[in-house]
Amino acid sequence: MPTLPRPPRPFLVAVLVALLCSCAGPGSAPAAAPAPGPPSTPTVAPGTPVPPEPSPAVPTASARPGTFPLPPGATVVIDPGHNGRNGPGSGIDHPVPDGRGGTKPCNTTGASTADGYPEHAFTWAVSGLLADRLRARGYRVVLTRDSDDGVGPCVDVRGAAGARAGAAAVISVHADGGATSGHGFHVLYSSPPLNPAQRGPARTLADAAVASMRGAGFTPATYIGRGGLDARDDIAGLNLATVPSVLVECANLRNPADAALVRSPQGRQRLADALAAVFA
Ligand code: ZN
């Protein structure tokens, strides 16, 4: 990085004040790293040295520490994992690009609780509750499927959904099918990153999701990941995403306590509320 002449201190103070006064404007990046999508409105002339941002939580007036700030009216894509008609004979297992040079099945049937409550029904229910919460706060919400009675869409289509919708963030809602002894949530993000959105903002979104879930009293997974975070290179939808995207495994359906949580309307509402609270 070239060394620039050090500006006089009063100049730096003036720039800092200018930045703080324009912090509520749309297009503010959610983290110190630049976000994709519409460029932020420049607040200083090109080439002017810019002091460090005071905090990633500054961009909106309502931002709270540990959240992912969104401009007012921003678009959020919610991806309810799987679908009701995915299954044998549905043709959903043909290969599609995985974003790292390989392929993955178009989609899968998903997991289920021991007594048959399916993951697709859970993700559909929680996604609807989450959409209600975000729309009530003025955000535009786009879902990757419009019912729980269809096939697909493929994971590569889901991965492209954020960019197609012009979204500021994508949350993919899932529940895991791990060993019965393990319980808790984990948040997946693409790693190593493949583009600027994955390089910083997606990790910020993942951290915010973990903080929000923990803050709502949910336990980080005891059987996978680390403290609720799970860096992954094998999730096509995350690999292919060019806007900040995470996949939240809300619980382990094979664990009896987690199964009881996801089966209860109150549990699903608590999960949706926790996911809504990810956004400032
Ligand atoms: Zn799933």
Side-chain angles (χ1 to χ4, degrees):
M1 184 179 291
T3 304
L4 294 171
R6 191 180 177 85
R9 181 169 293 276
F11 177 81
L12 276 179
V13 171
V15 171
L16 184 58
V17 167
L19 282 175
L20 287 170
C21 292
S22 62
C23 62
S28 301
S40 303
T41 303
T43 53
V44 294
T48 304
V50 177
E53 291 193 18
S55 158
V58 165
T60 64
S62 60
R64 287 169 283 113
T67 59
F68 189 84
L70 293 179
T75 297
V76 177
V77 163
I78 302 173
D79 173 35
H82 313 282
N83 205 334
R85 298 290 172 121
N86 288 2
S90 65
I92 50 122
D93 52 358
H94 62 277
V96 298
D98 72 354
R100 292 188 189 268
T103 62
K104 296 276 277 197
C106 158
N107 212 281
T108 58
T109 51
S112 71
T113 61
D115 59 356
Y117 179 59
E119 182 183 355
H120 68 78
F122 166 76
T123 68
W124 180 247
V126 169
S127 295
L129 297 169
L130 173 58
D132 289 345
R133 286 287 193 251
L134 295 179
R135 285 175 177 140
R137 289 166 55 190
Y139 297 120
R140 173 176 170 257
V141 173
V142 175
L143 280 84
T144 58
R145 54 182 170 103
D146 57 13
S147 78
D148 194 34
D149 194 31
V151 176
C154 295
V155 288
D156 57 334
V157 174
R158 295 176 193 246
R164 195 167 58 241
V170 178
I171 287 194
S172 189
V173 179
H174 284 252
D176 203 9
T180 56
S181 57
H183 69 100
F185 75 88
H186 60 292
V187 178
L188 286 62
Y189 64 98
S190 175
S191 180
L194 296 168
N195 57 50
Q198 296 177 17
R199 201 157 288 128
R203 175 58 193 269
T204 302
L205 177 59
D207 287 340
V210 169
S212 188
M213 291 287 283
R214 293 183 77 135
F218 295 108
T219 307
T222 58
Y223 64 101
I224 192 170
R226 184 182 288 246
L229 266 182
D230 193 7
R232 297 281 287 265
D233 66 3
D234 63 329
I235 308 297
L238 298 178
N239 292 341
L240 292 162
T242 55
V243 307
S245 303
V246 293
L247 187 156
V248 181
E249 298 278 14
C250 294
N252 177 13
L253 298 184
R254 308 306 293 179
N255 176 268
D258 278 11
L261 170 76
V262 303
R263 268 193 161 287
S264 84
Q266 295 85 354
R268 293 193 292 270
Q269 186 67 63
R270 280 185 59 216
L271 287 162
D273 289 347
L275 295 177
V278 168
F279 301 106

